[in-house]
Amino acid sequence: ESRPKQLLVYINPYGGKRQGKRIYEQKVAPLFSLASISTDVVITEHANHAKDNLFEVNIYKYDGVVCVGGDGMFSEVMHGLIGRMQKDSGIDQNNPKASLVQCNIRIGIIPAGSTDCICYSTVGISDPVTSALHIIVGDCQPLDVSSVHHNNTFLKYSVSLLGYGFYGDILKDSEKKRWMGPMRYDYSGFKTFLSHHYYEGTIAYQPAKHTHGSPRDKESCRTGCYICKKSEKQLAEQSKEHGLKHEEGEEEWKVIKGKFLAINAVTMSCACPRSPKGLSPAAHLADGSADLILVRKCSRFDFLRYLVRHTNQDDQFDFPFVEVYRVKCFQFTSKLSEDNESNVMDIGKKRFGQFCRDHPACCCNIVNSTWNCDGETLDSSAIEVRVHCQLMKLFARGIEENCKDEAAYSQSSIEQLL
């Protein structure tokens, strides 16, 4: 990939650290001008400003779009860019089976939020200067994106975590406590842990047979990952042979019913400074699959043991109440959701019909949880999720084998520039 010459930059001045504008002007802009990159800067004034703007500007004159902020800002730019690409190509995002058009305009992330999970998981460090240098030298890291639908209506795209139960409840509770700042996540996490809610539901998924490796691997996705490269080739061959629609019907769906404390689907490791290995340490950035993690109902003490495993080196899936599957798509229906009557998909009718009859709505008060989609809540509990292989590209190169190389890399890149 080539070095960028012209960039469109969105800065969220209100994001997590409220330092976006300062970080960009002091640390990033001087490097861009040193590298002779011209920029058009937009300071966002309200939610969805960047997203809406991407539908209006001539995006094709830019070599990339840079967002200065946290994960929320990145999500906005991603939705704008992917949405614009589909609109220009005449593709209906509401069709869950649509083959989406790849987005070739790279996105750069200058971290300035309260959570910089995407940056941390794709660069290995959340440092504005390092990220700026990845943009300047024109690095390129493809990224899988999951589309989330409810009843043939597009809801959202996700690149990191889709969480129902524990992580959904934390987010919903923390939304009411924004006045607490970032501390609200700890407070809501503790409260949610104590309430120990479980939710009943049915999950149907298609295994990701095209990809090599498994979620239990000891190897992580690193710069130039061969598994991601192989998966891309294999998926391309598959769609040539069948055409996607034909393939849909052939693949078998596996169905799991149960009571769950948490259902998490991750398209990347979701590593962050607090959980250096993430929710699924061996998840790949660009292999066309998600890791579906099911935590079944268990005691509070067992659930705590599971949560603590995210902060140390032990295998976090090594519990009898935890299951993990590598999938290319899945559906979820909660037991008592009104959505049971409606078709989650045609397959849903056949698949879930008998369960609804087996479980007449009883009088016990089971409420639905909320889905946490990359840090934003989704209203529908019944969703259908599909992973789109390498739908977009970042100015990044994945995580280097040894993260300490990043600092040396930054230094040598600055010397090259000068």
Side-chain angles (χ1 to χ4, degrees):
E1 294 280 340
S2 55
R3 288 186 169 199
K5 294 179 180 66
Q6 193 165 11
L7 296 170
L8 176 57
V9 180
Y10 291 102
I11 300 175
N12 176 5
Y14 311 110
K17 301 175 185 135
R18 294 187 176 268
Q19 299 285 319
K21 198 162 176 292
R22 186 189 63 79
I23 287 172
Y24 178 76
E25 285 168 358
Q26 290 180 9
K27 296 186 175 180
V28 179
L31 291 172
F32 282 173
S33 72
L34 200 61
S36 309
I37 295 173
S38 62
T39 54
D40 290 340
V41 178
V42 178
I43 309 279
T44 60
E45 291 160 16
H46 52 81
N48 289 328
H49 182 162
K51 183 182 159 191
D52 298 340
N53 188 250
L54 280 164
F55 276 88
E56 291 157 16
V57 296
N58 173 14
I59 54 171
Y60 302 103
K61 72 175 187 182
Y62 297 105
D63 303 309
V65 179
V66 175
C67 56
V68 184
D71 292 338
M73 187 63 186
F74 167 76
S75 179
E76 214 183 287
V77 167
M78 170 184 75
H79 278 85
L81 211 47
I82 296 176
R84 171 70 184 269
M85 286 286 177
Q86 309 319 310
K87 184 179 169 230
D88 291 356
S89 308
I91 284 167
D92 177 15
Q93 288 184 101
N94 285 321
N95 174 5
K97 291 198 185 74
S99 299
L100 300 179
V101 169
Q102 228 177 9
C103 188
N104 287 319
I105 298 172
R106 287 168 286 175
I107 297 180
I109 308 171
I110 302 294
S114 48
T115 55
D116 297 306
C117 165
I118 317 283
C119 188
Y120 196 88
S121 297
T122 53
V123 178
I125 185 172
S126 54
D127 167 58
V129 173
T130 303
S131 292
L133 292 170
H134 279 295
I135 295 167
I136 290 165
V137 299
D139 278 333
C140 183
Q141 169 65 54
L143 200 61
D144 293 339
V145 180
S146 294
S147 59
V148 186
H149 284 80
H150 166 76
N151 266 358
N152 292 324
T153 306
F154 169 72
L155 299 180
K156 269 217 166 25
Y157 291 115
S158 163
V159 288
S160 55
L161 166 74
L162 267 170
Y164 186 80
F166 185 67
Y167 288 104
D169 292 352
I170 289 177
L171 185 67
K172 194 170 186 183
D173 189 71
S174 71
E175 287 291 295
K176 302 169 206 151
K177 301 182 177 61
R178 285 189 162 271
W179 54 271
M180 287 175 79
M183 247 184 67
R184 67 183 184 273
Y185 297 116
D186 293 336
Y187 175 81
S188 296
F190 186 61
K191 187 176 152 192
T192 304
F193 172 75
L194 290 179
S195 66
H196 203 63
H197 272 307
Y198 67 85
Y199 300 92
E200 228 171 315
T202 304
I203 292 150
Y205 69 91
Q206 279 191 333
K209 290 182 178 156
H210 67 271
T211 184
H212 300 264
S214 95
R216 304 290 293 269
D217 288 343
K218 292 287 172 269
E219 274 182 44
S220 313
C221 183
R222 289 289 178 259
T223 304
C225 173
Y226 76 97
I227 286 184
C228 293
K229 286 196 169 113
K230 270 188 172 173
S231 296
E232 181 192 21
K233 276 189 194 142
Q234 235 169 316
L235 279 172
E237 282 161 21
Q238 271 182 19
S239 53
K240 259 188 212 152
E241 280 170 36
H242 305 293
L244 285 171
K245 296 193 173 48
H246 178 55
E247 179 201 357
E248 268 313 304
E250 284 180 6
E251 295 263 346
E252 55 174 326
W253 286 77
K254 301 209 184 300
V255 179
I256 297 171
K257 293 192 291 180
K259 297 171 179 171
F260 305 99
L261 285 166
I263 296 167
N264 297 323
V266 298
T267 9
M268 56 172 64
S269 67
C270 291
C272 65
R274 280 190 173 185
S275 172
K277 295 220 170 253
L279 281 174
S280 186
H284 287 270
L285 292 173
D287 72 340
S289 77
D291 287 352
L292 180 64
I293 306 160
L294 310 178
V295 184
R296 291 187 184 260
K297 184 185 170 192
C298 60
S299 71
R300 257 197 201 87
F301 175 68
D302 275 344
F303 190 52
L304 182 63
R305 283 170 61 215
Y306 166 70
L307 292 176
V308 168
R309 283 269 172 105
H310 291 94
T311 61
N312 63 28
Q313 302 294 315
D314 298 335
D315 179 357
Q316 58 213 43
F317 304 129
D318 191 20
F319 290 107
F321 52 88
V322 177
E323 296 160 42
V324 61
Y325 306 97
R326 193 152 275 178
V327 306
K328 61 180 184 181
C329 50
F330 75 93
Q331 302 160 12
F332 173 75
T333 314
S334 69
K335 184 183 161 191
L336 283 185
S337 87
E338 314 70 52
D339 308 310
N340 275 340
E341 280 79 54
S342 67
N343 63 332
V344 179
M345 212 168 115
D346 308 335
I347 188 166
K349 271 185 178 161
K350 290 180 271 195
R351 196 71 63 211
F352 299 131
Q354 77 223 45
F355 299 146
C356 312
R357 286 195 294 280
D358 297 349
H359 301 286
C362 52
C363 52
C364 53
N365 179 25
I366 300 179
V367 286
N368 286 337
S369 176
T370 311
W371 281 96
N372 172 344
C373 175
D374 290 5
E376 291 181 41
T377 53
L378 296 181
D379 295 332
S380 311
S381 62
I383 61 169
E384 181 186 342
V385 179
R386 163 174 274 97
V387 185
H388 301 270
C389 187
Q390 306 195 3
L391 186 63
M392 53 167 293
K393 293 173 176 164
L394 294 182
F395 283 107
R397 56 167 65 172
I399 295 176
E400 305 277 349
E401 213 32 84
N402 177 355
C403 244
K404 298 192 179 55
D405 298 346
E406 274 299 334
Y409 161 69
S410 298
Q411 197 50 49
S412 68
S413 298
I414 288 177
E415 283 159 12
Q416 275 174 25
L417 278 173
L418 298 170

